[in-house]
Amino acid sequence: MSFVTIVATKLREEQRNAFFLCASLSLLMLLWPVVFTQPPRFVLRIAVCNILLITSAAAFYKSLPGKIISLALCACLSVNFAIDFSTYSIYESEFNVAFAMSVLTTHMREIKSMASLYLYYMPVAIAHFSFTLIAIHLLSNKINRRQSIVSFVLLVLFFSWFSFSCWSKKQKDKEVYYPLAARILVNTPFYVAADFIIANRDNQLAAKVGQGGENYTNLTWQDQNIETYVVVIGESARRSNMQLYGFPLSTTPAEMKISNNALIFEKAIAPASATVLAVPMILSRADAEHFTVDNLSQNIVNAANKAGFNTYWISAQGNSGKSNNYVAAIAAASHHLHWVDGHYDDELLPWFDDALKQPGKKVIFLHINGSHELACTRYPESHDYFHTGNKYEDCYNNAIRFTDYFLAEVMERLTNRSASLLYFSDHGLEKNAQLESVYMHGSRFPSKEAYDVPQFLWYSDNALKSQPRKTGKIEMPWSTANNYFLMLSWMGIKTGEPNCRSLFDACFQPDNTFPVMDGGRHIFEYQQLRAHFNDPKPDITVKKASKNSL
C-alpha cells in the first residue's frame, strides 16, 4: 500500500470519526431538553426526523443553493434548540404556548430585563449550530447519489405519514385548538414553531374579543354610593411571601393596617399560571374549561362601559402588541387607554391622578409589573429594604414590599373619596431552590404555589359610612375566575341573569372544584396538585375543555 493510499485512508477514517462525533453531539444536544420533558415516543420522532433532515441536507450540500439551504436548516434547528434548552434550564419545563404569546407580545424593556437570563445559553446554541453544519459538510463528502435519493424519499415519507396522521386525527376529533400546521411541526425538530403558530392564532382571535363583546341588552345599574372604583391587577405575587398572610418578614406593612376597611380573601386561587391566560379569565366570563371568544367578550370593561362608567386602563406592561393579545383586547375597550413606558410601577401614579380629577363615576384599572421576573429590576434603589444575604430572596421580597407601597399610595389618594379598591395578583410563582433567581412562573404541571395569590377588597371610610359593606376575612377557597361576577355586584351592575358566582349575591354557592390551566393549556383540578414545586408530581387527570374553547 502506497504512502498516498495510507494517508487517504487515514484521512477518511478521521473524517468519518469527526462526522460521527459532530452528528452525535448535535443530536444529543437537540434531544437534551426533550428527554426530560416529553414521552419517549416524542423523543424518538424528533431523533428520526433530525437524522433524515441532516442526511437530506448533506445530499444537496455540494451545490451553492444546497449550502444556503443547509445553513438555513442549521439555523432553524439551533434556534429551536436554543429556545427549548434555555426554557428548560430556567423553568424546568418545555417551551409552551403561554411563553410564545409572551414573546410575541413583549416589549423592549422586558426583553432587556430578561436578556441576561437567556444570553447565558447563547454559546450552547452556537455550539449546536457548528456541530450540525460540520456534520452535514463531512457527510456530503461520503454520501452517494443513491443514498441521497433514499434519504430524501424517507424524509418525504416521514412528513407525509405524520401529516396524514395529524389530518386524520383532526378530522376525527374536530379539535379546534391545535391548527394542522402545529400538529405536524410538533413531530419534527421544529416543534417550538408549533407553539408560536398557536400563539399567533390566539392573538388573532384575541382581536375579536376587543372588536365584539356582549351587547348586554338587559343590563341595569344600581348606585352603590361609590363614585370611584379601582382595580389593581398585580403580577407574580406569591401569597406565601406576604406579611398579610403570615409571612414573617415585613413585606406588606401598609396592607397590615387595612383589616377594618377590607374584605380579605385568605385562599384566592388564580385560574392560570401565566398572565396572558389568567387576567382574561379574571376579567371575563371565561374560565379554564370555557375559554371561548364569546365568554372573553363578556368582560368587566364592556359591562362597565354599558353601565355608564368612565373606564380607564393604565398599564405598566408595555404597549407592544397591545391589539394582539387577550389582555390588551379587553383593555382596548376602555374609554381611556394608557400604556406607560416607565421603569417602576409608581410611574403610573401621575396618570392615576389625572383620571381621579375627571368628574363622574369611574372605574380605573391599574395593571402593574409587581414582582415579575427579574424581581431585582422591579423597584428603585430607595426601596431596597431587605438585606438577609440571599440576593434573589431579598429582591423578590423587596418587590412585594414595593407593590405594598404602590397600593398604599393609591389608597391614600382615595381616602377622602367615596371609593373602593380591588387588588389581586394574576398568578403566583413557584419556588425552585435549584434556580439562581429562586422564583419562576409555573409551566407544565405546576404546583399549587403557581396559583396561590393575594386578593382583597378595600373601602374608603366614606364608602363604609354610606351603606353596609361586607368586610373581614373570606376563609373558603375562592377562584379569581369568579372575579368578573364579583365585580359586577361590587359595581351594582346586573346583566339580567342570575349572578350566583358572586359572593355578594343571595344565590351564591361556594365552588366545589377549582379547574386551573397551566402554560401548555392543560387543565387540572387545583386540589389534586402538589403543594410545592419540589414535592413529587402526583398522578392527576387532565381535564377536557368545552367544545368551543380556544
Side-chain angles (χ1 to χ4, degrees):
M1 183 180 293
S2 68
F3 176 75
V4 174
T5 304
I6 293 173
V7 171
T9 302
K10 185 67 174 177
L11 286 174
R12 285 196 295 270
E13 290 178 354
E14 290 181 354
Q15 286 183 343
R16 183 170 61 250
N17 293 336
F19 162 73
F20 282 117
L21 177 63
C22 290
S24 298
L25 288 173
S26 171
L27 181 60
L28 289 173
M29 291 177 72
L30 179 72
L31 296 179
W32 179 261
V34 181
V35 167
F36 295 103
T37 59
Q38 301 294 345
R41 65 180 183 277
F42 183 90
V43 178
L44 180 62
R45 287 198 298 261
I46 300 302
V48 170
C49 188
N50 186 72
I51 293 170
L52 292 175
L53 282 168
I54 289 178
T55 306
S56 296
F60 299 105
Y61 187 76
K62 294 179 180 179
S63 66
L64 179 60
K67 286 182 171 62
I68 295 174
I69 292 172
S70 297
L71 283 170
L73 173 67
C74 290
C76 292
L77 288 171
S78 296
V79 167
N80 185 98
F81 162 72
I83 292 173
D84 200 32
F85 179 75
S86 58
T87 302
Y88 173 74
S89 300
I90 296 170
Y91 300 107
E92 293 192 7
S93 168
E94 82 276 21
F95 191 78
N96 56 49
V97 174
F99 286 132
M101 289 186 75
S102 296
V103 171
L104 292 177
T105 60
T106 193
H107 51 92
M108 188 54 63
R109 176 161 285 107
E110 188 164 273
I111 291 174
K112 290 179 180 177
S113 70
M114 297 293 286
S116 60
L117 283 175
Y118 293 96
L119 289 178
Y120 180 80
Y121 301 99
M122 187 59 68
V124 184
I126 294 173
H128 177 267
F129 176 86
S130 301
F131 289 138
T132 307
L133 186 60
I134 292 172
I136 292 173
H137 172 75
L138 293 173
L139 183 60
S140 69
N141 296 324
K142 295 290 183 181
I143 195 169
N144 57 41
R145 180 177 177 81
R146 181 180 178 183
Q147 292 169 331
S148 299
I149 294 173
V150 170
S151 64
F152 184 73
V153 169
L154 288 175
L155 180 65
V156 171
L157 289 174
F158 179 90
F159 273 101
S160 299
W161 173 33
F162 272 106
S163 297
F164 179 76
S165 176
C166 292
W167 177 82
S168 298
K169 180 174 172 53
K170 186 175 178 64
Q171 297 303 307
K172 181 179 179 180
D173 61 20
K174 301 297 181 182
E175 174 62 68
V176 298
Y177 181 64
Y178 295 103
L180 182 59
R183 287 174 178 262
I184 295 171
L185 285 172
V186 80
N187 296 297
T188 75
F190 311 112
Y191 52 89
V192 163
D195 292 310
F196 279 105
I197 288 172
I198 297 169
N200 183 62
R201 191 283 314 274
D202 282 0
N203 286 341
Q204 293 175 354
L205 289 174
K208 298 179 181 179
V209 174
Q211 295 169 359
E214 172 68 23
N215 290 326
Y216 292 111
T217 54
N218 297 318
L219 185 143
T220 58
W221 175 72
Q222 183 176 356
D223 190 356
Q224 302 296 300
N225 294 315
I226 293 176
E227 181 186 52
T228 303
Y229 291 87
V230 179
V231 178
V232 180
I233 304 169
E235 169 68 62
S236 303
R238 286 164 50 94
R239 189 170 67 229
S240 58
N241 282 64
M242 299 179 68
Q243 184 187 11
L244 181 65
Y245 294 97
F247 191 62
L249 299 183
S250 179
T251 53
T252 58
E255 292 164 69
M256 293 296 290
K257 302 174 183 177
I258 67 171
S259 58
N260 292 334
N261 289 60
L263 181 65
I264 301 171
F265 293 76
E266 293 286 293
K267 300 176 183 177
I269 302 166
S273 59
T275 303
V276 292
L277 300 172
V279 173
M281 285 191 270
I282 294 170
L283 299 181
S284 75
R285 287 182 62 97
D287 57 42
E289 295 175 298
H290 307 89
F291 197 80
T292 67
V293 171
D294 288 342
N295 282 340
L296 290 167
S297 296
Q298 298 182 57
N299 59 69
I300 194 61
V301 176
N302 282 334
N305 289 340
K306 185 69 174 180
F309 285 88
N310 204 3
T311 52
Y312 297 79
W313 188 281
I314 306 171
S315 174
Q317 298 225 0
N319 62 357
S320 177
K322 61 179 179 288
S323 62
N324 296 319
N325 67 72
Y326 302 124
V327 181
I330 292 174
S334 302
H335 296 131
H336 309 276
L337 186 58
H338 303 290
W339 305 90
V340 181
D341 188 17
H343 289 88
Y344 307 115
D345 289 332
D346 59 354
E347 294 176 56
L348 300 184
L349 294 174
W351 297 91
F352 180 63
D353 291 336
D354 289 342
L356 290 177
K357 293 175 185 176
Q358 305 307 313
K361 62 180 182 180
K362 61 184 72 69
V363 55
I364 305 170
F365 297 88
L366 300 173
H367 194 186
I368 64 175
N369 280 315
S371 40
H372 189 283
E373 299 131 295
L374 294 168
C376 297
T377 65
R378 300 305 174 190
Y379 56 89
E381 187 177 350
S382 59
H383 287 263
D384 187 17
Y385 182 84
F386 296 105
H387 301 93
T388 66
N390 188 324
K391 176 183 176 182
Y392 291 103
E393 287 279 9
D394 288 344
C395 283
Y396 187 77
N397 290 326
N398 281 329
I400 292 288
R401 188 179 170 96
F402 187 63
T403 295
D404 180 77
Y405 158 78
F406 176 81
L407 290 168
E409 289 292 311
V410 172
M411 289 186 284
E412 175 64 26
R413 286 161 166 78
L414 301 175
T415 298
N416 296 321
R417 296 171 175 266
S418 182
S420 185
L421 177 147
L422 173 64
Y423 165 73
F424 55 84
S425 181
D426 53 0
H427 56 79
L429 291 179
E430 296 193 278
K431 187 172 184 177
N432 181 359
Q434 297 179 345
L435 185 68
E436 183 181 13
S437 57
V438 184
Y439 296 108
M440 65 180 190
H441 279 61
S443 184
R444 186 101 183 255
F445 303 111
S447 66
K448 290 180 179 177
E449 292 178 309
Y451 304 99
D452 292 343
V453 294
Q455 176 165 307
F456 65 79
L457 187 58
W458 173 88
Y459 298 96
S460 68
D461 288 338
N462 289 339
L464 285 176
K465 292 174 183 176
S466 64
Q467 69 180 57
R469 312 284 182 187
K470 188 177 181 65
T471 59
K473 293 185 178 181
I474 301 298
E475 301 285 353
M476 64 182 176
W478 171 265
S479 173
T480 58
N482 290 330
N483 278 6
Y484 164 74
F485 304 95
L486 181 76
M487 286 186 280
L488 288 176
S489 298
W490 176 48
M491 297 167 63
I493 300 173
K494 294 185 180 297
T495 62
E497 300 177 353
N499 193 14
C500 298
R501 290 173 64 181
S502 170
L503 184 69
F504 298 137
D505 199 277
C507 66
F508 172 73
Q509 292 291 329
D511 290 328
N512 294 319
T513 61
F514 300 88
V516 294
M517 189 183 289
D518 72 359
R521 305 292 288 268
H522 305 96
I523 303 171
F524 308 102
E525 171 52 46
Y526 167 85
Q527 295 169 328
Q528 295 180 359
L529 300 177
R530 65 195 191 278
H532 307 289
F533 174 79
N534 292 322
D535 294 342
K537 292 182 180 179
D539 184 16
I540 57 178
T541 304
V542 178
K543 293 188 172 185
K544 288 187 177 181
S546 64
K547 183 177 180 180
N548 295 321
S549 289
L550 300 176

